[in-house]
Amino acid sequence: MTTLLKLSRAALVLGALMVEACSFDIANPNTPAVIGENPNRSQVAAAASGLLIATRSDLADFVRNVGILGREAYRFDGSDPRFTGQLMQGPLNPGDLPFGGNHWVEEYAAIRSGNDLLRVVGTAEALTAEEQSAVIGYVHTIQAYNFMLVLSSHTQDSIPIEVGTDVTAPPAPFRSQADAYAHVEALLDGAVTELQAGGAAFPFSLPAGFNGFNTPGTFIQFNRALRAREAVYRNDFAGALTFLAASFYNPAASFDLGVYMDFSAGPGDVANPLAIDPQTGENFGHPSLEAQAQLQPDGSLDRRFLTKLVKRAPRSAGNPQQLSSDLGWIRYPSPNSPIPLIRNEELILLHAEASIGVNDLATATTDINLVRATAGGLDPVGTFATPEAALDELLYNKRYSLMYEGGHSWIDYRHYGRLAELATAERAGPPPDVIFTTLPIPTAEVQAHQ
C-alpha cells in the first residue's frame, strides 16, 4: 500500500468516528472502517455506511474542481490563488493533493474500505447467504463508481486496480485504462448477478438519496445507469442502449428521479460545501454559460441557466487580475441539498448520445427536444442532418442540464476531442489559460512504484 492510501485509511476511520447518523443511519458511529471476521449486523451496516461516507468525502470537491477544468466554474479565493493559477494556468503539481494531485486518494480509500468489507462479509454468521450476496453487489457497485471518478480525472494508462486490504503489501501495479475500464465493467456486471441473488432487502439502511433504489432489486437500476454512462465513455453505444433499458431511464418520469449523495447541516453530519452564499461566496459561474445560453421563445435565457445561476456583484482574480465573473451559483440552495450521482435527465441525454452513436438521429432528436423543452424551455430543433450536428446540440444540452453536477463538460468535450471549444478569451493577455486533458498521478503514488 502506498503512503497516500495509508493516510487515507486513517482519515476514513476518523470520518467514521465523526459522521453520525442523520441521513446515514450508522448503527454504531464508533465502529472503525476496518472490521474483523464474523461481523455482526451492526458492524456490517456501519461498514456499508462508511463506504458511502468515504465516497462522499471528495464529491463536492470533484464537482467544483472538475467544473473549473471544464469551464463551468471559477473559484475566486483570495487566500488560495491555486484555483485560478494551478487549475487554469498550470503547471498542475502532482504533489499538491488538493489541486494537481487531487481526486485519487479519497476514491482509492473508498475502494479499499469496500475491500475490507468484502474480505469478511462471507464469514458473517448473522447474515443469510442472500444478504451476504446483496452486500457484495452493493460494494462492487460503489467501488465501480469510485473507479469511474479516478478514470474520468486521470486519462493516463497508469491506474492501479488490484487494491487489496493488506496495509503492508507493495502498491498495486499500474494498469492500462483499457484494463481499468474492463475492471469497472466486470464489477458492475458481476454486481447484477450478486444483487439478483440478494433477496428482498439489504441488511442495512441506505440514506434518503437512495430512496427508490434501496433494495437489491431496485439498486440494480442504479448499477445499470452507471454501466450505461461507462459504455458511452467507451463508445459502446449499442451496449449503452441495452443498459439504459435496464436502468431507471424513463422519458415520462421526473428528470430529477435518480440517486443522490446526502448532506446535512445537522449535528455530526456534513453540510454540502457547494451551498454557499451566491452573492458573497467564492464560487462563481463561468461567464461563457451566460454568453452561450440559447434563448427561450420569450427571449429569456435557457431556463437551466436561470435556475442554477444568478447575477451578483462582479469579482476579478488571477495574476494579473484578468478573470472576472458576475454569476453566483444557486444550484445547491441549502446546506442540506444533495448532489446527484446520476439522474434521469442525464439518462435521457445518454440515450440521445448513444442513438447518435448508432446513427439513429430521429431518436436522438426526440430525446434532445424533450430535454430542451422540459428543462430549458427552448423550442424544438428539426431532425439533424448529420451526426456532427446532432452531437453539437447534444453537448450543449448536457452542458446546461448537468452543469455543476459532476464535471460533465470537461469529460464530455474531452471525449470527443473538442476541449478547445470550451476555451474562451478569458484573459486580456498572457499567461494563457490551459484546459488540461488530465490530472497527473500524485507524486507519492509514482514514487511508491519506483
Side-chain angles (χ1 to χ4, degrees):
M1 182 191 295
T2 70
T3 300
L4 282 178
L5 291 180
K6 290 177 182 176
L7 291 173
S8 66
R9 170 170 288 187
L12 176 58
V13 173
L14 179 61
L17 292 170
M18 293 176 63
V19 180
E20 158 89 35
C22 279
S23 39
F24 274 89
D25 193 22
I26 302 172
N28 178 6
N30 294 315
T31 300
V34 181
I35 61 178
E37 298 287 320
N38 191 22
N40 60 37
R41 296 180 75 88
S42 293
Q43 290 170 323
V44 170
S49 293
L51 177 55
L52 286 187
I53 292 168
T55 301
R56 182 176 69 171
S57 66
D58 191 44
L59 184 59
D61 279 352
F62 187 94
V63 170
R64 183 196 60 212
N65 290 353
V66 180
I68 292 171
L69 293 171
R71 301 311 190 257
E72 297 176 36
Y74 288 143
R75 182 173 174 88
F76 296 157
D77 187 337
S79 65
D80 198 333
R82 290 175 293 181
F83 287 104
T84 53
Q86 190 174 153
L87 290 182
M88 299 187 66
Q89 295 174 249
L92 294 172
N93 179 1
D96 190 353
L97 294 183
F99 292 91
N102 210 346
H103 312 310
W104 183 282
V105 173
E106 295 93 338
E107 286 74 14
Y108 277 112
I111 292 163
R112 187 176 293 280
S113 75
N115 284 337
D116 291 332
L117 178 54
L118 292 173
R119 178 178 56 83
V120 299
V121 68
T123 70
E125 296 174 3
L127 271 59
T128 67
E130 284 185 338
E131 290 173 328
Q132 291 177 5
S133 187
V135 171
I136 294 168
Y138 159 80
V139 171
H140 282 155
T141 299
I142 301 300
Q143 286 182 319
Y145 175 80
N146 280 280
F147 272 118
M148 289 173 69
L149 293 181
V150 175
L151 286 163
S152 292
S153 50
H154 299 82
T155 60
Q156 311 96 319
D157 276 355
S158 302
I159 307 295
I161 58 177
E162 294 94 353
V163 184
T165 60
D166 183 358
V167 298
T168 66
F174 285 142
R175 300 283 292 274
S176 69
Q177 275 232 326
D179 285 349
Y181 272 115
H183 183 63
V184 169
E185 293 169 2
L187 287 174
L188 290 172
D189 292 345
V192 171
T193 301
E194 294 150 359
L195 292 163
Q196 287 172 336
F202 287 115
F204 51 82
S205 297
L206 285 168
F210 285 77
N211 285 352
F213 306 94
N214 52 10
T215 69
T218 55
F219 197 82
I220 290 173
Q221 296 179 329
F222 168 51
N223 173 294
R224 294 294 84 185
L226 294 179
R227 185 69 170 88
R229 177 193 281 174
E230 187 273 346
V232 166
Y233 288 171
R234 299 275 283 158
N235 295 323
D236 176 14
F237 298 117
L241 293 171
T242 298
F243 304 133
L244 284 166
S247 75
F248 58 91
Y249 159 74
N250 184 353
S254 167
F255 281 11
D256 288 328
L257 173 68
V259 178
Y260 295 76
M261 189 64 78
D262 290 280
F263 292 84
S264 171
D269 208 341
V270 175
N272 184 340
L274 299 178
I276 64 176
D277 191 317
Q279 298 301 326
T280 62
E282 297 88 354
N283 295 341
F284 288 75
H286 195 282
S288 65
L289 294 174
E290 181 176 17
Q292 297 169 4
Q294 297 181 20
L295 300 181
Q296 299 185 56
D298 64 2
S300 59
L301 295 177
D302 189 316
R303 186 187 300 140
R304 290 166 289 188
F305 172 86
L306 296 176
T307 57
K308 297 172 186 179
L309 291 154
V310 293
K311 286 291 191 177
R312 60 174 291 174
R315 190 185 299 180
S316 299
N319 184 23
Q321 290 191 341
Q322 297 171 318
L323 294 173
S324 64
S325 174
D326 61 354
L327 300 174
W329 284 105
I330 54 172
R331 174 63 184 85
Y332 302 103
S334 162
N336 301 318
S337 296
I339 294 178
L341 301 185
I342 193 164
R343 58 189 183 90
N344 191 36
E345 189 169 356
E346 180 183 350
L347 298 188
I348 295 168
L349 290 166
L350 287 174
H351 193 269
E353 191 169 357
S355 297
I356 295 169
V358 299
N359 205 32
D360 182 358
L361 301 186
T363 296
T365 304
T366 299
D367 291 331
I368 290 172
N369 278 335
L370 174 63
V371 174
R372 283 175 59 84
T374 306
L378 304 176
D379 283 335
V381 294
T383 301
F384 301 107
T386 65
E388 291 75 18
L391 186 59
D392 287 341
E393 188 62 31
L394 182 280
L395 288 173
Y396 169 84
N397 282 278
K398 288 189 79 175
R399 182 165 172 80
Y400 282 81
S401 285
L402 308 177
M403 67 170 78
Y404 219 42
E405 291 188 11
H408 294 280
S409 288
W410 189 55
I411 295 165
D412 290 335
Y413 280 78
R414 180 185 62 198
H415 177 197
Y416 293 104
R418 299 171 70 160
L419 278 177
E421 295 178 19
L422 299 178
T424 59
E426 294 170 312
R427 294 182 182 270
D433 288 336
V434 178
I435 299 184
F436 298 100
T437 60
T438 183
L439 294 178
I441 300 167
T443 299
E445 188 76 31
V446 174
Q447 291 174 342
H449 286 76
Q450 292 174 347

